[in-house]
Amino acid sequence: MSDLSSIVKAYDIRGVVGEQLDAETVRAIGAALARLVGAEGARSVVVGRDMRDSSPALAAAFAEGVTGQGLDVVDIGLASTDMLYFAAGTLDVPGAMFTASHNPARYNGIKLCRAGATPIGQDTGLVALREAVEAGVPAGPGGGRVEQRDLLEGYAAHLRGLVDLSGARPLKIVVDAGNGMGGFTVPAVFAPLPFAVVPLYFELDGNFPNHEANPLDPANLVDLQKAVVAEGADIGLAFDGDADRCFAVDERGEPVSPSAITALVAARELAKSPGDTVIHNLITSRAVSEIVAELGGTAVRTRVGHSFIKQTMAETGAVFGGEHSAHYYFRDFWRADSGMLAGLHVLAALAEQDGPLSALMAGYERYAASGEINSTVADQAGRVAAVREVFGARAGTRFDELDGLTVALADGSWFNLRASNTEPLLRLNVEAADDAAVAALRDEVLAIVRA
């Protein structure tokens, strides 16, 4: 088979359906995965899929590849990515989730994990799978069977069991599912809870007729923000296409930063597990590490990317991990990420007290931030070196290169400059005391980067 390097990413497989990803390729990937995990002792693979038009056929082809190698398939049908992790965790089998998350309709992909929801990434099996498919996967003995199972209610009950909502006051919540899998999972999870849900775009539609299912882009939060204010709601929640990320807006329609949610959930988890470890990537606000330390926990900083978070969680036994991109990881959820579980924690914290969300989150929003700013740069290394030279001349400046270049200034402000692994981009994140300080530092760095 032809070169698959264009679709095998660091953490998953993703490409344009019919051009880069088709039934033949997916069938071979299924066969290769079956051989990989079968050699490790697995006898079955659980498969879930999102609402994209291409997902049923691709998932079926993948199942053919798995059963052709003699392994069984547990088909859970429509699922969010964290529901697939729940299946891989509770059934203790490897899993495959067919989704391209927030990408446009013409894309699809596969997120893979081993038993117990342990991720399969570039360094833990994806490269071997790619090479096996490119070399040609030998025919297997066949004989594998496909079993359909409905795990939605089990998933919903499991999540509710991880968050104490027994004393929750009634709340009015607007939820924007973006025509993604949140429209499937939110009704099941929220059904027994004392929350009135106002649904936005719950119709499953992989063509995303209303807006992209990517709440990280502020443009895709506009409808939710307007609806929260118009409805007089207590909170708004937005999910991405495969519903593994959750974003929040407060009662004023103002976005809540994922760093603040990381700090809030960390505080709740540390209350249950005092002195434990919390993981955060290096782009989250420094308020996270400050709050964790103030609460007697240990904050551990990692590179950007879920494989680094999950690996560090496994090494440290951390109770929780958070990323600036609104991925939240829980030890009690097989160290996997669940936007729904993070959302339940926010709702529980809000419902335990009488004040508005804006007041609750004020204690976790200590600094101003720029968000991620991308610049197209041909000479990435040269521009980073230029930035280092300029800021290195200033007293009190500290550098680290855990992931790209992080520059900490004497006044407490900092920025990180990282090169994209796949595009000629430099990604800038800035944090400072207030918006004016952020803007000044941002503009200074961009002037060097874009010179």
Side-chain angles (χ1 to χ4, degrees):
M1 190 166 285
S2 59
D3 180 15
L4 300 184
S5 59
S6 64
I7 65 171
V8 177
K9 311 297 184 182
Y11 316 120
D12 62 8
I13 296 165
R14 201 171 299 193
V16 177
V17 176
E19 297 177 19
Q20 299 171 302
L21 203 63
D22 56 22
E24 179 186 3
T25 302
V26 167
R27 191 176 294 110
I29 293 170
L33 178 75
R35 292 176 70 88
L36 174 68
V37 298
E40 299 168 352
R43 301 271 50 93
S44 62
V45 176
V46 62
V47 178
R49 57 180 170 82
D50 71 8
M51 66 291 141
R52 292 168 187 269
D53 293 344
S54 59
S55 289
L58 291 178
F62 181 89
E64 290 171 3
V66 173
T67 57
Q69 295 295 323
L71 272 64
D72 295 333
V73 167
V74 180
D75 178 5
I76 63 171
L78 285 168
S80 59
T81 291
D82 66 332
M83 186 173 157
L84 186 278
Y85 294 149
F86 164 79
T90 54
L91 302 177
D92 199 29
V93 297
M97 175 67 192
F98 278 80
T99 182
S101 185
H102 61 276
N103 285 130
R106 66 183 185 276
Y107 286 84
N108 213 321
I110 319 171
K111 294 182 178 181
L112 299 168
C113 64
R114 287 184 168 84
T118 302
I120 295 177
Q122 202 164 50
D123 299 329
T124 53
L126 267 185
V127 171
L129 285 179
R130 188 195 84 197
E131 292 171 348
V133 172
E134 290 172 347
V137 183
R145 297 174 299 167
V146 177
E147 171 196 1
Q148 268 82 33
R149 292 188 63 174
D150 183 353
L151 297 182
L152 178 60
E153 290 303 325
Y155 155 82
H158 181 80
L159 290 189
R160 290 193 300 267
L162 294 175
V163 182
D164 182 7
L165 291 155
S166 57
R169 64 182 169 96
L171 296 174
K172 189 174 188 179
I173 307 164
V174 181
V175 179
D176 186 343
N179 299 111
M181 293 311 302
F184 181 70
T185 56
V186 166
V189 174
F190 284 34
L193 300 176
F195 304 144
V197 176
V198 179
L200 280 184
Y201 315 137
F202 271 38
E203 304 78 16
L204 301 183
D205 190 337
N207 295 302
F208 308 112
N210 295 290
H211 60 69
E212 289 182 352
N214 179 19
L216 193 59
D217 182 344
N220 298 321
L221 287 177
V222 171
D223 290 354
L224 177 63
Q225 292 170 288
K226 290 179 179 177
V228 166
V229 174
E231 293 283 346
D234 297 289
I235 185 174
L237 298 177
F239 293 91
D240 65 346
D242 59 337
D244 63 349
R245 291 187 293 155
C246 180
F247 294 75
V249 302
D250 67 23
E251 79 286 352
R252 306 166 302 174
E254 294 296 323
V256 178
S257 81
S259 287
I261 292 177
T262 296
L264 169 67
V265 179
R268 290 176 56 81
E269 293 287 28
L270 287 171
K272 294 188 297 183
S273 187
D276 220 316
T277 299
V278 171
I279 310 299
H280 64 97
N281 74 20
L282 79 170
I283 295 176
T284 54
S285 171
R286 62 188 173 97
V288 173
S289 59
E290 291 174 354
I291 290 166
V292 168
E294 289 162 11
L295 294 173
T298 300
V300 175
R301 183 167 168 265
T302 75
R303 296 177 61 186
V304 173
H306 79 93
S307 62
F308 303 114
I309 290 268
K310 291 177 179 176
Q311 178 182 339
T312 307
M313 287 187 75
E315 293 169 351
T316 62
V319 67
F320 174 66
E323 290 197 275
H324 72 296
S325 56
H327 283 284
Y328 306 104
Y329 307 82
F330 297 84
R331 183 172 64 200
D332 290 344
F333 196 70
W334 302 278
R335 295 190 295 271
D337 43 327
S338 173
M340 188 70 73
L341 185 49
L344 288 177
H345 272 286
V346 175
L347 293 174
L350 177 60
E352 287 168 2
Q353 47 90 62
D354 295 328
L357 184 61
S358 58
L360 173 66
M361 301 310 300
Y364 302 101
E365 296 266 20
R366 296 184 174 182
Y367 307 102
S370 66
E372 194 154 87
I373 304 164
N374 291 323
S375 301
T376 301
V377 177
D379 181 15
Q380 297 164 323
R383 292 296 86 205
V384 172
V387 168
R388 183 173 188 131
E389 182 178 0
V390 169
F391 284 90
R394 300 182 186 180
T397 299
R398 292 177 289 111
F399 299 106
D400 81 57
E401 296 177 315
L402 174 65
D403 191 355
L405 176 67
T406 299
V407 180
L409 303 179
D411 64 1
S413 59
W414 63 269
F415 64 88
N416 173 267
L417 197 58
R418 294 161 35 247
S420 167
N421 292 322
T422 58
E423 303 171 89
L425 297 176
L426 281 177
R427 308 188 192 280
L428 173 67
N429 283 268
V430 178
E431 182 173 82
D434 53 42
D435 290 336
V438 166
L441 183 54
R442 175 200 66 204
D443 292 348
E444 184 177 8
V445 177
L446 288 178
I448 302 169
V449 168
R450 297 174 178 177

